[in-house]
Amino acid sequence: QAMLHQLCPPCFPATWEHGRSTDTVEIIKNNAKFILQSTKKHTLGVDEQDCPPSGLADIEEAQKDGATAIAAASATEAASRLPRFAADEKPEYPVLYLLGTGSACPSKYRNASGIVLDLSPDESVFLDTGEDSLGQLIRTVGVDEAEKLVARMSVLWISHIHADHHLGALRILELRRAVCDRGKRPPLVCGPPSLLRFITQYAKVAGAPLFELCTPLNIVDEPRILVPESDVEYLDNVPVEHCYQAYGLVLEHRKGWKFVYSGDTRPCDALVKAGKGAKYVLHEATMDDELLQEAIAKRHSTISEAVHVIEQINPAIGILTHFSQRYPKVPLIDDRKHKGIAIGFDTMRLSLDRD
């Protein structure tokens, strides 16, 4: 993340600068070693002799790392077609935060799925909060701003019951209850019935309800959900081709723009049809093209398939996410075929066009 920040500061905030400052906190550099037992060579403390120098050397080191440079270039390409903002400025609304862009389980470079769509100073929408999504949010924006984002959460939307898409939901709901006034409208929790049963049982064990108003996604007669007292015009829940009760999302804002999120799925004509005219598309791209048969068997999309879906919807910007953890940093992508499609990366933020 430090190297990504050096190459593209607007899209990758300096995560180490966030958090509440205290006199007891010391910032430790990358590659520092903790000395827990004194020797003739070392005393107790922190050894920073192997730490990389700061400034220009950091940038040169980042440029040498091919995968990091690709991720930063992809983010820069996406940002170039959207409103610009300086690295030290708060981006203009709406803002998209990618908290996790990996699949199945967290890895060194990619956490499980996690998405926040920050609509205004009064409202945010959380999508697919996988394991440690709250921790990732704090690393991205800091403790204080993370609490504000959670406090103004109007919707928590979960695409399906797989653990890498919902294990972080409980902690986020707990925090929202802790930081919000009792008179504030509770969030609309959207998810398959099995998810809601899981949350309800947890609430009983915790001794307090985590939410008061929830709507299951599989209401056949009401696939479109209206969000009360919100800038969201509606949530259109589209059945997709993954597991039982798996959904994609089309969110329409009251100003007329649409945001499409695929969840986990094979290429889905229903999602393309529902998402036509969308301005922004976030689509899963779990596997590279060589693993097509495995993608079919596991009901995921390859990179080329995801790009094809995005091209059919034809948004202003398309972003790929949910990469297999077999790709440590970035998957194998042919830039000549997929130019203009951004590669999602953890803690990435994009300020979306307001018009």
Side-chain angles (χ1 to χ4, degrees), residues 237-248:
N237 306 299
V238 183
V240 294
E241 301 174 24
H242 187 53
C243 64
Y244 177 62
Q245 294 180 339
Y247 294 83

Side-chain angles (χ1 to χ4, degrees), residues 37-78:
Q37 183 175 358
S38 60
T39 65
K40 291 182 179 180
K41 186 178 179 181
H42 296 292
T43 58
L44 295 176
V46 179
D47 177 13
E48 296 184 346
Q49 65 178 5
D50 294 330
C51 296
S54 59
L56 181 59
D58 286 344
I59 299 177
E60 292 175 347
E61 185 67 24
Q63 290 172 337
K64 291 178 183 177
D65 187 299
T68 301
I70 291 172
S74 175
T76 303
E77 164 68 17

Side-chain angles (χ1 to χ4, degrees), residues 324-340:
S324 168
Q325 302 294 13
R326 58 168 54 86
Y327 314 114
K329 292 186 180 179
V330 293
L332 300 174
I333 293 180
D334 189 340
D335 293 337
R336 295 169 297 179
K337 294 182 180 179
H338 308 322
K339 187 174 179 58

Side-chain angles (χ1 to χ4, degrees), residues 101-253:
T101 55
S103 66
C105 60
S107 70
K108 181 177 180 180
Y109 296 104
R110 293 185 184 274
N111 197 49
S113 295
I115 303 140
V116 177
L117 192 57
D118 195 15
L119 299 177
S120 72
D122 302 314
E123 183 175 14
S124 65
V125 173
F126 282 62
L127 311 175
D128 273 0
T129 50
E131 179 180 345
D132 197 36
S133 286
L134 181 57
Q136 287 286 86
L137 182 61
I138 291 172
R139 294 181 194 101
T140 303
V141 300
V143 176
D144 294 333
E145 187 60 31
E147 289 185 353
K148 293 176 183 177
L149 276 165
V150 172
R152 60 177 179 259
M153 176 180 66
S154 62
V155 176
L156 174 61
W157 187 91
I158 306 297
S159 63
H160 62 290
I161 194 58
H162 286 166
D164 60 319
H165 291 258
H166 75 78
L167 276 187
L170 295 173
R171 185 68 189 93
I172 289 172
L173 288 170
E174 286 178 338
L175 178 61
R176 190 186 187 278
R177 184 175 178 84
V179 299
C180 283
D181 297 331
R182 290 187 177 274
K184 188 178 179 70
R185 175 181 288 274
L188 183 70
V189 180
C190 301
S194 52
L195 171 73
L196 300 181
R197 288 195 296 270
F198 167 68
I199 294 178
T200 301
Q201 290 299 318
Y202 180 87
K204 291 179 180 179
V205 174
L210 301 179
F211 60 91
E212 299 171 25
L213 176 65
C214 58
T215 304
L217 292 180
N218 69 331
I219 300 179
V220 178
D221 296 331
E222 299 181 34
R224 179 165 291 184
I225 296 175
L226 304 179
V227 185
E229 301 178 16
S230 169
D231 288 335
V232 177
E233 184 71 26
Y234 65 80
L235 303 173
D236 200 352
N237 306 299
V238 183
V240 294
E241 301 174 24
H242 187 53
C243 64
Y244 177 62
Q245 294 180 339
Y247 294 83
L249 173 69
V250 178
L251 179 152
E252 179 160 335
H253 195 272

